[in-house]
Amino acid sequence: MTNNSSSMMIVRFAAVAILTMAASSNAFQMSPSTTTSSTILYSKNSGRAHTERMLEESMGDDWRLFRAKLVAQEKMAASSSSLGDNKKKNKKDAKLSSKDNTNDELDKQGQLSELFAGAISSIFHSSSDKENKKRSLALSSDENLMNGDNIGGAVPSAAGVDTADTNSLQDPFVSAAELPIHMASKQVEVSKHRWAHDIAHIEPGCVLIANEKLGGVFHQTVVLIVDHHEKTGTTGVVINRPMQGNLNKVVTNQDNATIDLSLKLAFKPAPVSYGGPVLQDEFAVLHGFGHVEGSKKLAPGVFIGGSEELMNEVRINRFDPRHALFIKGHAAWIPGQLDREIKKDVWYIASVSSDFLLRYAGAPTTKEDDTKDLWKDILSCMGGKYAAVAKKHAGLGDLRMP
């Protein structure tokens, strides 16, 4: 083969390679002229995102659930310890009451007899103990050392005495307090669908639960944290203020609601929620479909944004528009503001299950759930003082918006 023919072959292979790369890259780019190609593109990307989300759920890959189990385990241990202390106290009180019921004269006689017996016993035992110590030291010869006597707390064997006596050979490394560690601990069952507990810090995906004394637009609200940073502040959305009617009705009846016409048509039956007092003419979409392009993952199985790709999923009947919660407006705090509010007990901070977060975005519910009051439902699930607050102050429910 000549040099010219070799050069031509190289050029041809290079051209084929370039065309192949161009074709593959065009397959993942939007074509503004054709709606069909863009829909296919979006379905590929969002289809993979949805598959990843389903795999994550099937594998149980939710670190927050693992933390919830640890919190529940700690609560159970604390409860068991408190129960044990109460039993000891009750036994002690029972003994004291039984002593009070006995004859005073017999009690005095018993105390005197114990006093004399103890005094006599201490006299003889103290001398015998000294003699025993001397004998044990005398037996500590080189021959006895090889027998294992007096090594590591071992007691010398004597005639007629069982060296395997459990009372004389107690384990020096295990105390009564340490025994529960060596015993099989009782496992705590935490429902994947329904769990909630308080946390000491703010993190994306957690919720702020309004204190029962907080009034105004945030009265008994549950705010899902979207972003939190010391320098830029905090943003969140209220997730328990559903508005009456679907997206089509809300947008039609409110003049300040601005949304793309294509989204309005695709998501006609989608539910709508009041998200907060900031930028109420804008919408964000909360869903559990997957980490599609344009969305942000807040927690395992919980995403916000990505309405364009979700719209194409609706068009090919792969996503139910009723499982997308359109949130109107949001809440915002400048740096340091939310921290000050938390220090003043304006908010309770909690980590909750994904089904709680998606309560109005198509999440499944059970008979145990209070489907009309998310504020009460989460506090009740947290238990303790929070359950008491819910029981005392709940009653208005979530549906308060026009």
Side-chain angles (χ1 to χ4, degrees), residues 7-224:
S7 300
M8 289 298 294
M9 290 293 294
I10 293 173
V11 171
R12 288 177 181 175
F13 278 120
V16 172
I18 292 172
L19 290 173
T20 304
M21 292 175 63
S24 62
S25 62
N26 289 335
F28 294 96
Q29 293 177 356
M30 283 192 61
S31 176
S33 60
T34 56
T35 306
T36 305
S37 62
S38 64
T39 303
I40 294 173
L41 161 68
Y42 277 125
S43 65
K44 287 180 181 178
N45 292 341
S46 56
R48 178 175 179 177
H50 184 59
T51 302
E52 291 175 351
R53 182 252 185 275
M54 298 301 293
L55 287 173
E56 183 182 62
E57 182 179 3
S58 63
M59 295 174 65
D61 190 14
D62 189 348
W63 64 270
R64 300 174 313 128
L65 179 60
F66 177 74
R67 181 175 64 179
K69 291 180 179 179
L70 291 179
V71 172
Q73 192 79 31
E74 291 174 356
K75 287 183 178 180
M76 188 186 72
S79 177
S80 299
S81 177
S82 177
L83 183 62
D85 293 340
N86 291 335
K87 287 183 177 180
K88 290 180 180 179
K89 184 179 179 181
N90 292 336
K91 287 183 179 180
K92 186 176 181 180
D93 293 341
K95 289 181 179 180
L96 290 175
S97 61
S98 63
K99 286 183 178 180
D100 293 338
N101 293 332
T102 56
N103 187 274
D104 293 339
E105 199 64 34
L106 290 175
D107 189 36
K108 291 180 181 179
Q109 292 178 6
Q111 291 178 0
L112 288 173
S113 62
E114 289 178 0
L115 178 63
F116 284 113
I120 296 172
S121 176
S122 62
I123 295 173
F124 289 99
H125 277 282
S126 60
S127 60
S128 61
D129 288 341
K130 293 180 181 179
E131 293 295 326
N132 290 333
K133 287 182 180 179
K134 291 181 180 179
R135 291 177 183 176
S136 64
L137 290 173
L139 291 173
S140 299
S141 61
D142 294 339
E143 296 178 358
N144 292 328
L145 284 174
M146 296 306 296
N147 292 331
D149 296 340
N150 297 316
I151 298 296
V155 180
S157 58
V161 179
D162 186 5
T163 57
D165 184 12
T166 57
N167 293 327
S168 60
L169 297 178
Q170 295 180 356
D171 189 348
F173 300 104
V174 180
S175 63
E178 295 173 328
L179 284 176
I181 301 176
H182 301 279
M183 299 171 65
S185 59
K186 185 178 179 180
Q187 295 297 323
V188 178
E189 294 295 332
V190 177
S191 172
K192 179 182 177 181
H193 161 72
R194 184 181 174 84
W195 59 264
H197 63 86
D198 57 349
I199 55 177
H201 61 281
I202 305 170
E203 61 188 25
C206 75
V207 293
L208 302 177
I209 306 172
N211 185 290
E212 62 276 12
K213 297 179 182 179
L214 179 62
V217 295
F218 288 107
H219 179 247
Q220 293 187 356
T221 54
V222 178
V223 181
L224 172 61

